[in-house]
Amino acid sequence: MIRPGKRENKDPDGARWMRKDLLSLEELSREEIELVLDTAESFKEVSSRDIKKVPALRGKTIANLFFESSTRTRTSFELAAKRLSADIVNFSSTGSSTSKGESLRDTARNIEAMHIDTIVMRHSSSGSAEYLARSIRAGVINAGDGIHEHPTQGLLDIFTIREKKKKIEGLRVCLVGDILHSRVARSNIWGLKKLGAKVTVCGPPTLIPRGIETLGVEVCYDLDRAVQDQDVLNILRIQLERQRGVFFPSIREYAAEYGISKERMKQAKSDVIIMHPGPVNRGVELAGEVADGPQSVILDQVTNGVAVRMAVLFLTTLVER
Ligand code: CP
């Protein structure tokens, strides 16, 4: 049952959606995460129809506001909005008045003044989505804020794991690579832990944040050991654009120690699934033959992203303001 609710109302059974915004998975309860996943499951079928459209958000307007580059997330939100019959407009920092010095708050308030219902925003500053949500009446969906969170990526990853493994509780999931700079890692950790998975992070010591164990994850610096008993390997990109310093000797050495190669896959369980949020640096964090191999679910993640974003737009946009 899908039931968007009134903003600010509290529902004791937790099954009603109350939020005009989706800012992080840290703030969601287990029940709210499961509601998004179940709603996405009911929307997934829409994308396989001849006419890929339902009237759920007819008359509503969504704005995509991207201050950082994106292929998957932006396209996926655009398709999700269109499949729900919403109108969608795209803004990017290049070619907009932000390049003339306009503040984020003013940009958003001006866009909101055109009667936008929900703004989807990607920004390089951690906390920018929360700041915006407090500043405007329209809903705000965080499409990635700095190194903080990327909640819809976390949700689509968890949706894909649940689809492939039929459960989350008790599964062993290892996030591999640049954990320090990864908003995807943080959203995965919050979401997976709330649903009862056992999460390990593995990467060079310089790319694992100090104290991450307090989030309830295990830390392993030896990838050959880490891959052995995992049900899911979620491989993360090295976030060179966010790194301020030298965190490993060279790309070649990183690939040798922390790249998922065909050879390394021989030590993994035969039914392990390989995930990657994209974009993939082939031959660095993941060998091309593994990315394209039978255990890879990378393109399923992309497909599921549309259904998950349909669910998020549907639930948040219909909340009373
Ligand atoms: N996974 C992800 O956020 O990809 P994009 O940067 O292409 O949106």
Side-chain angles (χ1 to χ4, degrees):
M1 177 72 78
I2 304 167
R3 296 185 297 159
K6 276 191 177 162
R7 185 187 178 193
E8 311 294 1
N9 281 358
K10 293 272 179 288
D11 186 37
D13 69 15
R16 190 183 287 269
W17 186 268
M18 307 289 177
R19 301 172 187 275
K20 77 172 179 74
D21 313 302
L22 175 63
L23 306 177
S24 69
L25 294 197
E26 180 181 3
E27 68 179 0
L28 296 193
S29 65
R30 178 182 182 132
E31 290 74 21
E32 286 172 307
I33 293 172
E34 285 174 343
L35 178 60
V36 177
L37 301 181
D38 294 345
T39 307
E41 218 164 81
S42 65
F43 278 134
K44 186 167 174 181
E45 175 269 333
V46 173
S47 295
S48 60
R49 293 183 193 169
D50 257 4
I51 297 172
K52 300 172 181 53
K53 238 179 182 21
V54 289
L57 291 186
R58 193 160 53 201
K60 301 289 182 186
T61 309
I62 316 285
N64 257 344
L65 187 54
F66 276 63
F67 295 96
E68 277 190 340
S69 54
S70 167
T71 302
R72 280 145 290 267
T73 311
R74 185 180 171 137
T75 313
S76 185
F77 269 112
E78 186 166 350
L79 281 173
K82 286 180 172 165
R83 287 179 189 172
L84 292 168
S85 305
D87 296 313
I88 181 147
V89 282
N90 285 295
F91 293 86
S92 63
S93 48
T94 48
S96 78
S97 291
T98 50
S99 55
K100 299 177 193 161
E102 188 176 54
S103 71
L104 170 61
R105 184 168 182 271
D106 281 340
T107 300
R109 281 169 64 84
N110 276 272
I111 292 168
E112 189 187 32
M114 298 178 220
H115 297 286
I116 299 286
D117 296 287
T118 298
I119 292 180
V120 178
M121 185 177 76
R122 170 169 288 189
H123 200 283
S124 58
S125 293
S126 301
S128 52
E130 189 182 341
Y131 166 74
L132 194 63
R134 277 192 272 109
S135 309
I136 61 175
R137 200 161 162 266
V140 176
I141 311 295
N142 180 7
D145 62 331
I147 62 168
H148 172 228
E149 280 219 36
H150 190 349
T152 56
Q153 182 69 46
L155 287 166
L156 77 87
D157 289 348
I158 295 168
F159 181 94
T160 305
I161 296 170
R162 192 175 81 159
E163 184 178 68
K164 301 295 172 193
K165 297 288 184 184
K166 311 297 176 213
K167 63 172 188 176
I168 300 292
E169 184 90 46
L171 283 182
R172 296 190 68 89
V173 181
C174 185
L175 301 162
V176 180
D178 182 357
I179 311 298
L180 182 65
H181 301 97
S182 175
R183 52 199 181 199
V184 175
R186 258 167 279 280
S187 288
N188 265 267
I189 290 169
W190 283 114
L192 287 165
K193 291 299 299 175
K194 285 178 191 206
L195 298 191
K198 297 183 176 104
V199 180
T200 301
V201 294
C202 181
T206 48
L207 289 175
I208 305 280
R210 211 169 291 165
I212 196 161
E213 296 90 339
T214 58
L215 299 183
V217 301
E218 280 179 33
V219 176
C220 182
Y221 301 115
D222 178 353
L223 184 58
D224 290 311
R225 190 157 65 79
V227 298
Q228 284 174 16
D229 57 354
Q230 302 296 328
D231 301 298
V232 179
L233 294 171
N234 195 348
I235 318 304
L236 305 174
R237 185 174 64 85
I238 302 168
Q239 308 269 303
L240 287 173
E241 73 276 24
R242 293 186 212 289
Q243 294 181 6
R244 304 273 180 274
V246 179
F247 290 87
F248 45 85
S250 69
I251 293 285
R252 195 158 58 90
E253 280 163 283
Y254 179 89
E257 289 295 320
Y258 292 102
I260 299 287
S261 59
K262 208 171 167 193
E263 199 54 38
R264 204 159 249 148
M265 282 295 288
K266 290 180 185 156
Q267 300 172 63
K269 286 169 77 172
S270 59
D271 63 348
V272 71
I273 58 170
I274 298 291
M275 306 180 77
H276 193 301
V280 176
N281 291 308
R282 286 171 181 257
V284 181
E285 69 263 10
L286 190 57
E289 57 215 321
V290 182
D292 300 329
Q295 283 147 310
S296 170
V297 298
I298 294 171
L299 292 178
D300 298 281
Q301 289 171 263
V302 178
T303 302
N304 290 336
V306 177
V308 165
R309 287 170 178 131
M310 286 172 81
V312 168
L313 288 176
F314 174 75
L315 290 169
T316 53
T317 304
L318 291 183
V319 168
E320 286 180 25
R321 312 283 153 87

